[in-house]
Amino acid sequence: MAQYFDQINKIEYEGADSTNPLAFKHYNANEKILGKTMAEHLRMAACYWHNFCWNGQDVFGQGTFGRPWLEAGDAMAQAKAKADVAFEFFSKLSIPYYCFHDIDVAPEGNSIKEYINNFAAMVDVLEQKQAETGVKLLWGTANLFSNPRYAAGAATNPNPEIFSYGATQVFHAMNATQRLGGENYVLWGGREGYETLLNTDLRQEREQLGRFMQMVVEHKHKIGFKGTLLIEPKPQEPTKHQYDYDSATVYGFLKQFGLEKEFAMNIEANHATLAGHSFHHEVATAISLGIFGSIDANRGDAQNGWDTDQFPNSVEELSLVMYEILKAGGFTTGGFNFDAKLRRQSMDRADMFHGHIGGMDHLAMALKRAAALIEKDFLGKAVAERYAGWSGSLGKAIQSSEHSLQSLAAMVEREQLSPKAVSGRQELLENQVNLVLFR
């Protein structure tokens, strides 16, 4: 295995008093919280794309990272070198999972035949790397947004031949994910939206997208894939509007096409805020709808109106998200994937470790705070008390359809009801939460 990070040792837990920047201060994989280890709770993954496919280039400047495996050369040889470096990084970081797009790991080539052959060869390589290192695949996916053919989308493209090409990529990516033991398969509609309504048939595109998703489900059952199918919502960027705007919008789409029991959500923090929601809201919404699946852990910048994909560092925000996840029973097949990238000025080889160490430590801190909120249970008690009336005779009768508008009106008039508003005690609860978060 190539030693690109030869100056960096395996990252170990050294405790909160450690001054070693290349050590975990809070993430202790084997520490038990609420009966499970941190590793079991968090199920963390590092992504292939930001870490090993991006050279630091942006629309205003050239690449800054100098990654040798991204330089000109034999495409397959460079892909294998990239895999060496990726699994060296995963192993030294002590992270249990990784995630990839098909063309992250294999050269796309100049024809569908080259794509299939290159991808198949690299799946062999990934399978060997997983066996050597013990690193597992949290999820795989297909990139249906980078190639110019997908400028107008893949599943929603006005050209059925492009729809078919995208379906071919998903066919091979799903098969690869199953072979590699992937626990989920993700679909992100990066360009499944529109730039202008002047040339868009909304009904046509939604029906195309619905049929595409139905085909994915059909193939899942045909090959016997036992993992979870995940949809990753995002409101806009790169398109003006995307059909998978947020968790609630996706749920409505799934209901329309009879797919609500086949998919769960892969929620990205930065996508939630771009939709005008908090990360906390999106997670709680998905849980309430029964479609929570996995997390892309990152953050945005409040002063920038685009997807900056920075490493998560708000323990306060993460604690409330973790509280919702723990309260709902925790992850099943999902986990926390760091869909996060370095800043262009972070050019040292160690910077990739610093970003992930921080993210892993912050999630560990959040897990501890969320566990404390669960154990103290004052939020649960406050919610139960607030809605207690719905457990009484009147509430149960309304919910079980024993009442109509007429019967309720008659009952209110007969009993001369005059209910009064009750305090939600928001400020008290915020104070109590902060006493746990910042103890």
Side-chain angles (χ1 to χ4, degrees):
M1 182 179 292
Q3 288 292 306
Y4 180 75
F5 299 106
D6 57 332
Q7 300 300 310
I8 297 174
N9 297 320
K10 188 176 180 69
I11 308 303
E12 305 283 359
Y13 170 72
E14 295 185 4
D17 294 331
S18 172
T19 58
N20 179 5
L22 290 171
F24 296 121
K25 315 301 188 299
H26 299 278
Y27 176 62
N28 181 359
N30 296 317
E31 180 181 348
K32 285 206 169 182
I33 306 287
L34 299 180
K36 292 166 63 176
T37 66
M38 281 192 174
E40 291 170 330
H41 274 297
L42 299 173
R43 296 170 54 84
M44 292 185 285
C47 74
Y48 225 90
W49 51 98
H50 290 317
N51 292 317
F52 308 107
C53 301
W54 182 51
N55 67 358
Q57 180 179 354
D58 68 13
V59 295
F60 300 107
Q62 299 176 2
T64 59
F65 295 154
R67 310 296 196 211
W69 59 89
L70 298 179
E71 296 173 359
D74 178 80
M76 282 300 292
Q78 293 294 67
K80 291 174 183 177
K82 178 166 54 175
D84 285 341
V85 175
F87 278 84
E88 179 195 358
F89 175 76
F90 302 149
S91 298
K92 287 190 171 180
L93 183 62
S94 305
I95 200 163
Y97 292 97
Y98 75 109
C99 301
F100 70 82
H101 299 84
D102 52 353
I103 63 171
D104 294 341
V105 298
E108 189 169 8
N110 296 311
S111 68
I112 191 63
K113 182 177 180 180
E114 287 186 14
Y115 163 82
I116 292 170
N117 290 340
N118 290 345
F119 191 32
M122 286 307 300
V123 169
D124 290 343
V125 172
L126 296 178
E127 188 173 51
Q128 180 181 350
K129 293 292 184 187
Q130 289 183 201
E132 291 173 353
T133 63
V135 178
K136 296 178 287 186
L137 179 62
L138 186 65
W139 53 259
T141 188
N143 180 326
L144 304 185
F145 49 89
S146 291
N147 191 291
R149 74 171 60 89
Y150 297 126
T156 58
N157 199 286
N159 184 344
E161 292 182 351
I162 294 176
F163 179 105
S164 301
Y165 201 103
T168 302
Q169 282 188 240
V170 171
F171 171 83
H172 288 284
M174 288 183 71
N175 292 348
T177 299
Q178 182 186 38
R179 178 179 161 190
L180 294 170
E183 300 188 23
N184 310 269
Y185 184 84
V186 169
L187 296 111
W188 176 57
R191 297 190 187 275
E192 310 298 357
Y194 64 79
E195 299 288 355
T196 175
L197 287 172
L198 299 179
N199 62 7
T200 300
D201 185 332
L202 288 173
R203 182 186 295 275
Q204 173 71 28
E205 293 197 358
R206 283 179 63 84
E207 289 178 353
Q208 288 177 208
L209 185 57
R211 180 59 193 135
F212 195 95
M213 295 303 182
Q214 289 169 344
M215 292 166 67
V216 169
V217 171
E218 290 163 6
H219 188 63
K220 170 189 173 175
H221 294 304
K222 182 175 182 179
I223 65 176
F225 179 57
K226 301 303 182 184
T228 303
L229 296 176
L230 300 170
I231 294 179
E232 182 173 325
K234 188 178 185 183
Q236 67 271 321
E237 191 216 17
T239 63
K240 176 179 179 179
H241 172 81
Q242 288 171 214
Y243 297 120
D244 52 359
Y245 190 92
D246 59 9
S247 293
T249 302
V250 172
Y251 184 72
F253 168 85
L254 294 174
K255 290 283 285 187
Q256 179 183 355
F257 293 99
L259 297 169
E260 69 274 14
K261 297 188 184 303
E262 298 286 356
F263 287 91
M265 296 295 99
N266 184 55
I267 297 168
E268 179 171 321
N270 206 171
H271 293 180
T273 51
L274 286 173
H277 306 307
S278 68
F279 182 25
H280 186 190
H281 164 88
E282 274 293 271
V283 171
T285 296
I287 289 171
S288 73
L289 292 170
I291 54 172
F292 175 72
S294 197
I295 296 288
D296 269 8
N298 59 22
R299 77 180 197 275
D301 188 312
Q303 293 178 296
N304 291 337
W306 60 87
D307 196 1
T308 57
D309 285 331
Q310 294 171 249
F311 283 92
N313 65 3
S314 172
V315 175
E316 179 180 5
E317 177 183 53
L318 293 170
S319 296
L320 294 176
V321 167
M322 189 69 68
Y323 171 75
E324 297 292 341
I325 295 171
L326 291 178
K327 191 171 61 169
F331 289 113
T332 54
T333 61
F336 282 101
N337 168 51
F338 290 106
D339 186 1
K341 62 186 178 184
L342 297 175
R343 302 302 90 190
R344 289 181 72 245
Q345 297 177 57
S346 298
M347 306 167 194
D348 293 343
R349 296 185 185 188
D351 288 331
M352 197 184 298
F353 284 91
H354 294 315
H356 286 82
I357 290 168
M360 294 168 79
D361 268 345
H362 297 143
L363 284 175
M365 295 167 71
L367 174 61
K368 293 178 182 178
R369 302 298 189 276
L373 289 173
I374 293 286
E375 289 172 333
K376 293 179 182 298
D377 198 34
F378 59 86
L379 290 177
K381 290 176 181 176
V383 171
E385 181 180 328
R386 189 173 184 220
Y387 292 92
W390 289 95
S391 297
S393 57
L394 176 59
K396 287 180 177 179
I398 293 172
Q399 291 285 59
S400 61
S401 302
E402 295 176 28
H403 274 294
S404 64
L405 288 179
Q406 182 177 0
S407 66
L408 284 176
M411 182 269 292
V412 169
E413 184 176 354
R414 180 178 66 253
E415 299 186 12
Q416 291 294 296
L417 293 187
S418 181
K420 302 293 189 297
V422 177
S423 174
R425 300 184 298 168
Q426 178 176 333
E427 293 76 13
L428 170 63
L429 295 176
E430 289 171 341
N431 293 346
Q432 290 176 328
V433 166
N434 281 341
L435 288 174
V436 173
L437 298 186
F438 302 103
R439 68 184 189 281

